[in-house]
């Protein structure tokens, strides 16, 4: 798509007009052909297209944020077990702690698996070398087969 | 009424009538009235004009009677007559191709004349028919004036619409008839046809920029249903109309209550300019992506058709079915509307006041992150309080998905 990019005279921020008629009067805009209006950056010196590396780093940050939210959503379902065990530990009831660990062993193993998967995903995101590689990483936890 | 005893062809009238028998068009041009007194040896056939013309009158109607005569109808009126006179003479004038306008025939009332008073307290308006000879002339016409028209009862009966179960016998192009089914029909010269409303709209066939004139009757369609597609009902502060925005090419100012609909095929274009002018107000918007394709993309609304980089903040939470809720927040360069893979139904409330520019989205759709239906609520605000939101903006999808349906209604 075509965009017309300029520095807003009052707001002093980077703006991209999506229609040519939306360029404010008395503003000099630069025309770009882009895939997304977010492909433009002002680096303090010039308005230019983002480099592939800049796009990659932005997408990595977005993916990591999505992963964090996703993992938190998975773990919160069994947080009550951790709360019970912690309460038993605070009370000094070691027998109750062991009983709870036995009772909820499946859930505790699943939490461990989630954390392990989370670390692997974080590493995979950080190690990604291209946008395609990054986009191919699906944030979707699957239960281990022996769980 | 004065007692005129028939019309007499003048010599020039006879000559013109002879030409008319061989095809020359016989055109009657006007009627003259006069108060001339004919002396005893006056030969009316030799007259080239009335003895004392007083008043020129246009011909209102001509009808060939069929017995070798023609009926000329004129309106005898004293409008504008400065001085009264006795109407003793009537002259019929016609156009001779060689001589120009000639006195074709005359009639004389003598001492049985009527007095035509001057224009003042007494108003005279009479329809007068006068007959004259045309023999076998085939082409007979008259210069008809519409300046003064008095309709007879028969005239009115002829032109008034008829209400009957069978088509009227008397027809002419434009004749109106209300049939037994209460449809108003007109005769087009050959057949009876239903009268149709004519619209000059241009936005999907409708002229969105036009405001109906006061007291305009909103049209019914052929089924008698109130048809608001080309017009609308409007009170002093609320309009009821839906228009199609797909063909708009410049911003249209929605009236309060008015709504606009779009279809948007995201596989063809990731952007959808909405072309709505905005003067500060609030709106509701529905966005429906009916097909789930698994695409995981976001949807933004860029006000003023402009990406204001990092000038927006948002916060929201999602509740996937069977999965614990999660939340998030961040900055963006437009209003962040949509997260769940561009499928499902989104209700959007929009405030566009300069110091209160924000959007609330409530979304239910299939969320590709969780492979489950999910409910999302996202608040998004444009935190600058000096920049006016003058154009509703452009929708931009991050990924192509399917066709979307959009409805926007101005609430204030």
């Amino acid at each position: 798509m075509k965009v017309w990019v300029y520095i807003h005279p009052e707001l002093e921020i980077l703006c991209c007009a999506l229609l040519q008629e939306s360029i404010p009067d008395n503003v000099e805009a630069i025309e770009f052909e882009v895939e997304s209006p977010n492909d433009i950056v002002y680096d303090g010196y010039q308005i230019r297209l983002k480099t592939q590396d800049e796009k990659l780093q932005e997408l990595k940050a977005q993916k990591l944020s999505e992963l964090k939210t996703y993992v938190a959503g998975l773990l919160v379902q069994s947080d009550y077990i951790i709360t019970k065990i912690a309460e038993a530990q605070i009370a000094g009831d070691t027998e109750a702690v062991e009983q709870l660990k036995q009772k909820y062993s499946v859930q505790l193993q699943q939490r461990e698996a989630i954390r392990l998967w989370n670390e692997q995903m974080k590493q995979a995101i950080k190690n990604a070398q291209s946008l395609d590689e990054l986009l191919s990483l699906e944030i979707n936890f699957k239960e281990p087969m022996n769980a | 009424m004065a007692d005129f005893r028939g019309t007499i062809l003048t010599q020039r009238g006879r000559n013109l009538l002879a030409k008319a028998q061989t095809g020359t068009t016989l055109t009657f041009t006007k009627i003259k009235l006069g108060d001339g007194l004919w002396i005893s040896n006056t030969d009316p056939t030799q007259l080239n004009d009335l003895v004392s013309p007083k008043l020129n009158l246009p011909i209102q109607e001509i009808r060939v009677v069929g017995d070798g005569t023609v009926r000329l109808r004129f309106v005898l009126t004293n409008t504008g007559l400065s001085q009264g006179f006795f109407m003793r003479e009537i002259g019929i004038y016609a156009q001779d191709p060689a001589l120009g306008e000639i006195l074709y025939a005359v009639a004389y009332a003598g001492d049985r004349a009527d007095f035509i008073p001057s224009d003042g307290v007494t108003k005279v308006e009479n329809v007068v028919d006068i007959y004259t000879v045309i023999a076998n002339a085939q082409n007979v016409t008259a210069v008809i004036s519409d300046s003064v028209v008095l309709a007879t009862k028969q005239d009115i009966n002829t032109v008034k619409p008829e209400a009957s179960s069978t088509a009227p016998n008397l027809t002419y192009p434009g004749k109106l008839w209300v049939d037994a089914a209460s449809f108003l029909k007109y005769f087009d010269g050959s057949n009876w046809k239903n009268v149709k409303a004519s619209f000059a709209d241009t936005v999907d066939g409708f002229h969105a920029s036009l405001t109906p004139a006061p007291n305009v009757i909103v049209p019914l369609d052929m089924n008698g249903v109130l048809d608001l597609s080309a017009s609308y009902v409007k009170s002093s502060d609320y309009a009821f109309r839906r228009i199609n925005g797909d063909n708009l090419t410049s911003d249209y100012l929605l009236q309060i209550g008015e709504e606009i609909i779009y279809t948007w095929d995201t596989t063809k274009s990731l952007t959808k300019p909405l072309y709505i002018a905005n003067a500060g107000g609030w709106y509701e918007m529905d966005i429906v992506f009916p097909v789930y394709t698994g695409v995981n993309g976001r949807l933004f609304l860029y006000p003023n058709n402009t990406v204001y980089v990092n000038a927006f903040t948002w916060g929201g939470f999602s509740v996937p079915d069977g999965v614990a809720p999660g939340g998030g927040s961040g900055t963006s360069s437009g209003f962040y509307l949509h997260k769940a893979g561009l499928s499902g139904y989104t209700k959007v409330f929009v405030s566009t006041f300069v110091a209160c520019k924000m959007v609330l989205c409530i979304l239910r759709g299939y969320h590709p992150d969780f492979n489950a239906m999910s409910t999302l609520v996202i608040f998004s605000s444009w935190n600058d309080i000096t920049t006016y939101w003058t154009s509703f903006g452009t929708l931009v999808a991050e990924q192509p998905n399917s066709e979307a349906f959009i409805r926007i209604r101005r609430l204030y």
Side-chain angles (χ1 to χ4, degrees), chain B residues 131-208:
Chain B
Y131 292 78
T132 190
V133 175
I134 57 167
N136 296 319
Q138 296 298 306
N139 304 314
V140 182
T141 184
V143 178
I144 302 295
S145 170
D146 294 327
S147 58
V148 178
V149 176
L150 287 182
T152 64
K153 183 179 179 183
Q154 187 180 7
D155 289 337
I156 293 170
N157 285 337
T158 301
V159 300
K160 77 175 183 180
E162 293 188 34
S164 58
S165 57
T166 55
N169 292 324
L170 178 59
T171 59
Y172 54 86
K175 171 78 176 176
L176 295 175
W177 167 43
V178 181
D179 73 4
S182 296
F183 286 125
L184 183 61
K185 299 187 173 187
Y186 71 98
F187 192 73
D188 71 350
S190 305
N191 299 295
W192 289 98
K193 294 191 171 177
N194 289 328
V195 173
K196 294 178 181 175
S198 175
F199 306 124
D201 299 313
T202 56
V203 178
D204 80 334
F206 311 136
H207 211 316

Side-chain angles (χ1 to χ4, degrees), chain B residues 87 133 143 167 178 189-190 234 250 286 318 337 353 379 391:
Chain B
M87 185 175 71
V133 175
V143 178
V178 181
S190 305
K234 184 172 186 260
S250 60
D286 299 301
S318 64
L337 301 184
F353 297 103
F379 281 96
S391 179

Side-chain angles (χ1 to χ4, degrees), chain B residues 295-325:
Chain B
V295 170
N296 192 353
R298 296 178 298 174
L299 179 67
F300 289 92
L301 171 65
Y302 291 105
N304 297 340
N305 311 302
T306 299
V307 179
Y308 297 90
V309 173
N310 293 329
F312 300 74
T313 55
W314 61 271
F317 60 91
S318 64
V319 187
D321 292 359
V323 183

Side-chain angles (χ1 to χ4, degrees), chain A residues 11 14-16 18 22 73 76 140, chain B residues 305-309 324 371 384:
Chain A
L11 304 177
L14 183 67
C15 292
C16 304
L18 301 173
S22 298
V76 76
N140 185 17
Chain B
N305 311 302
T306 299
V307 179
Y308 297 90
V309 173
N371 281 329
D384 158 67

